[in-house]
Amino acid sequence: MTMKYYLAPMEGITGYIFRNAYHQNFLPMDRYFSPFLVPGRSRSLKARELQDILPENNPGIPLVPQILTNQWEDFIWAAEKLRELGYREVNLNLGCPSGTVTAKGRGAGFLADPDGLSRFLDQIFAKSTVEISIKTRLGMREPGEFERLMEIYNRFPLKELIIHPRVREDYYQHAPNLKAFARGLDHSQCPVCYNGDVFSREDCRQIEAQFPRISAIMMGRGILKDPMLLEKIKGEEAQAEDERKRRLRRFHDQIYFGYQEIMSGERNTLFKMKELWTYMGTAFEGGERYKKKIKKAEHLKPYEEAVSALFQECALR
């Protein structure tokens, strides 16, 4: 079985501007997952959410939209809307650890109510006209919760189960619980994708060797820190540093100008770019003074000057 590689959904970062820039400048992912859509009782998506998943904004990109809700009626409405746009699979978010999300019993917060989750899945699998995959954590507080969750998941014809082997209380701290992941993989009746802390070729190879039965590996923060990571994993990176820098600069510029086209005001564009630099800045050796200038920039011109100096003066790791 050929291993597949996915781009994880990261709210506020991996939207269509980022996806297009990545897809056009680096080795493409097998699949991309959108940051979650939140359907409401108003039966409408926010303009920003709709723009992100419109097919014309994702040309040639194998995209799976992700839905965040604990109301089956809202899920079915959103899934039908996505089907009308041409999508044949949607992903249910049961992994987001954000307090504002879990406080409403959504994302990883839904895992605290396994009986309610079971009833929810009964409804959506009975009524959905598209395939459904799930992205999950091990539970809310204890890895032992995952046994009951796996019993529930196995009752339904999931397209795929993406497991992030941490509980909600971990957020992104502590090492992924690979023992719990192994138990879930052994008992799953559908294909399983691994997600969590893949930051290098060695990390990826370790997961593939330890779990040869997985269908895919999903990467998020690792790709943000090193957009060429998939090429390293596949052994296809053999370019001189100058060429790698040029590609990274093209990637940056495509995102930067893309945000300027869709966002109002310099402040909003800078906010998005600074968020990206919290990850991408680790790709460079040194250059702390340039990174500080990027962080402190309040207008586009000083930001551009700091970015240009960083690319000119600093080597890639």
Side-chain angles (χ1 to χ4, degrees):
M1 178 176 65
T2 303
M3 187 64 64
K4 296 178 181 178
Y5 301 95
Y6 302 161
L7 180 68
M10 298 185 69
E11 180 66 14
I13 301 179
T14 60
Y16 75 95
I17 296 293
F18 179 95
R19 287 194 297 269
N20 278 278
Y22 176 87
H23 194 71
Q24 294 169 21
N25 287 285
F26 302 110
L27 192 63
M29 291 284 176
D30 292 293
R31 301 170 96 191
Y32 299 77
F33 287 71
S34 77
F36 57 71
L37 311 171
V38 186
R41 292 303 174 90
S42 62
R43 293 294 183 266
S44 64
L45 295 174
K46 295 176 182 177
R48 171 181 55 82
E49 294 176 329
L50 183 60
Q51 286 296 315
D52 190 54
I53 48 87
L54 284 175
E56 55 263 38
N57 288 338
N58 296 276
I61 293 177
L63 180 64
V64 180
Q66 186 180 78
I67 300 173
L68 177 80
T69 184
N70 57 8
Q71 301 297 315
W72 69 263
E73 300 95 335
D74 296 343
F75 182 96
I76 291 299
W77 174 84
E80 182 61 22
K81 178 71 174 177
L82 292 164
R83 187 191 68 80
E84 292 172 0
L85 290 173
Y87 292 101
R88 296 296 176 261
E89 177 189 344
V90 297
N91 181 259
L92 173 64
N93 182 317
L94 295 177
C96 180
S98 168
T100 56
V101 169
T102 58
K104 297 178 181 179
R106 300 171 180 167
F110 207 171
L111 303 178
D113 180 17
D115 292 336
L117 175 60
S118 182
R119 292 190 295 269
F120 173 91
L121 296 177
D122 275 330
Q123 293 289 343
I124 68 171
F125 276 95
K127 296 175 170 61
S128 178
T129 58
V130 297
E131 293 184 301
I132 300 170
S133 58
I134 288 177
K135 187 173 187 291
T136 186
R137 287 191 173 228
L138 303 177
M140 269 291 284
R141 297 177 179 83
E142 300 293 337
E145 298 169 31
F146 199 48
E147 182 176 351
R148 168 71 172 133
L149 293 171
M150 283 302 304
E151 291 175 357
I152 294 171
Y153 297 150
N154 280 336
R155 291 178 43 226
F156 301 97
L158 274 65
K159 174 71 178 292
E160 192 169 40
L161 182 63
I162 302 167
I163 302 175
H164 182 103
R166 289 184 172 98
V167 295
R168 183 266 177 180
E169 298 302 309
D170 289 336
Y171 285 83
Y172 296 98
Q173 300 173 343
H174 312 300
N177 189 328
L178 298 185
K179 290 184 178 179
F181 178 84
R183 289 193 294 271
L185 177 62
D186 288 343
H187 290 91
S188 178
Q189 296 180 13
C190 72
V192 172
C193 170
Y194 174 86
N195 169 231
D197 288 18
V198 176
F199 297 111
S200 67
R201 184 178 187 273
E202 291 69 30
D203 292 338
C204 189
R205 289 289 173 260
Q206 180 181 349
I207 294 298
E208 291 175 341
Q210 190 169 350
F211 306 111
R213 287 184 50 238
I214 58 175
S215 61
I217 291 177
M218 175 179 277
M219 297 173 282
R221 291 171 295 155
I223 291 293
L224 297 186
K225 291 182 176 182
D226 181 3
M228 298 176 214
L229 176 57
L230 184 56
E231 295 167 23
K232 294 175 181 176
I233 288 171
K234 292 193 171 186
E236 297 185 18
E237 187 200 43
Q239 296 173 323
E241 180 175 358
D242 285 349
E243 176 57 25
R244 289 188 288 124
K245 267 192 180 183
R246 282 193 289 271
R247 292 173 64 205
L248 192 60
R249 183 62 195 260
R250 286 197 305 268
F251 170 68
H252 166 275
D253 290 352
Q254 189 170 336
I255 295 173
Y256 178 55
F257 293 120
Y259 281 145
Q260 289 186 63
E261 289 181 4
I262 67 169
M263 308 198 83
S264 60
E266 296 185 1
R267 187 181 185 87
N268 291 327
T269 296
L270 288 172
F271 176 81
K272 300 290 284 187
M273 295 309 299
K274 289 176 185 180
E275 189 174 22
L276 180 61
W277 274 107
T278 62
Y279 297 97
M280 199 166 68
T282 63
F284 292 85
E285 293 280 3
E288 295 306 320
R289 64 192 180 106
Y290 301 124
K291 296 173 190 177
K292 288 180 180 178
K293 288 182 179 180
I294 289 173
K295 186 176 180 180
K296 292 181 179 180
E298 296 183 358
H299 297 284
L300 298 184
K301 185 175 180 180
Y303 170 83
E304 293 169 2
E305 291 172 349
V307 168
S308 293
L310 178 64
F311 272 95
Q312 291 172 8
E313 302 295 332
C314 300
L316 292 176
R317 291 188 186 278

